[in-house]
Amino acid sequence: NGITEINGLKVIKTVDYIIGIDGLPKSDMLWYKLEDGTIFIIRPSGTEPKIKLYINESLLLIDTQHL
């Protein structure tokens, strides 16, 4: 059981790096990909008592002058 939706968008892929992925060392990090392509990465700070959140969002820009 994990997160299935963020802000109304379905989570289509979840990766828990605590098991070590693709030869990378184990890490206390969660990676979520949403149905619109947005990626959320959540991990604890290594030096402070806080959680870090990274958001990667891609936008498709359309040149309407050449449609």
Side-chain angles (χ1 to χ4, degrees), residues 61-67:
L61 300 177
I62 299 173
D63 183 357
T64 57
Q65 293 179 353
H66 295 98
L67 290 179

Side-chain angles (χ1 to χ4, degrees), residues 3 6 10 12 14-15 20 25-26 31 34 37-38 40-41 43 46 50-52 55 59 63 67:
I3 296 173
I6 297 175
K10 290 182 183 178
I12 60 170
T14 302
V15 179
K26 295 178 183 180
W31 183 96
L34 306 183
T38 300
F40 285 83
I41 300 170
R43 69 173 186 83
K50 61 182 171 182
I51 295 174
K52 295 191 174 195
I55 302 171
L59 299 174
D63 183 357
L67 290 179

Side-chain angles (χ1 to χ4, degrees), residues 3-63:
I3 296 173
T4 58
E5 189 176 288
I6 297 175
N7 198 33
L9 296 170
K10 290 182 183 178
V11 175
I12 60 170
K13 186 173 182 183
T14 302
V15 179
D16 185 349
Y17 282 80
I18 198 70
I19 61 172
I21 304 292
D22 296 328
L24 295 172
K26 295 178 183 180
S27 179
D28 195 6
M29 181 174 77
L30 297 171
W31 183 96
Y32 299 97
K33 184 172 185 177
L34 306 183
E35 61 186 337
D36 72 346
T38 300
I39 296 172
F40 285 83
I41 300 170
I42 303 169
R43 69 173 186 83
S45 171
T47 58
E48 301 172 301
K50 61 182 171 182
I51 295 174
K52 295 191 174 195
L53 171 66
Y54 303 89
I55 302 171
N56 181 359
E57 183 177 38
S58 298
L59 299 174
L60 176 62
L61 300 177
I62 299 173
D63 183 357

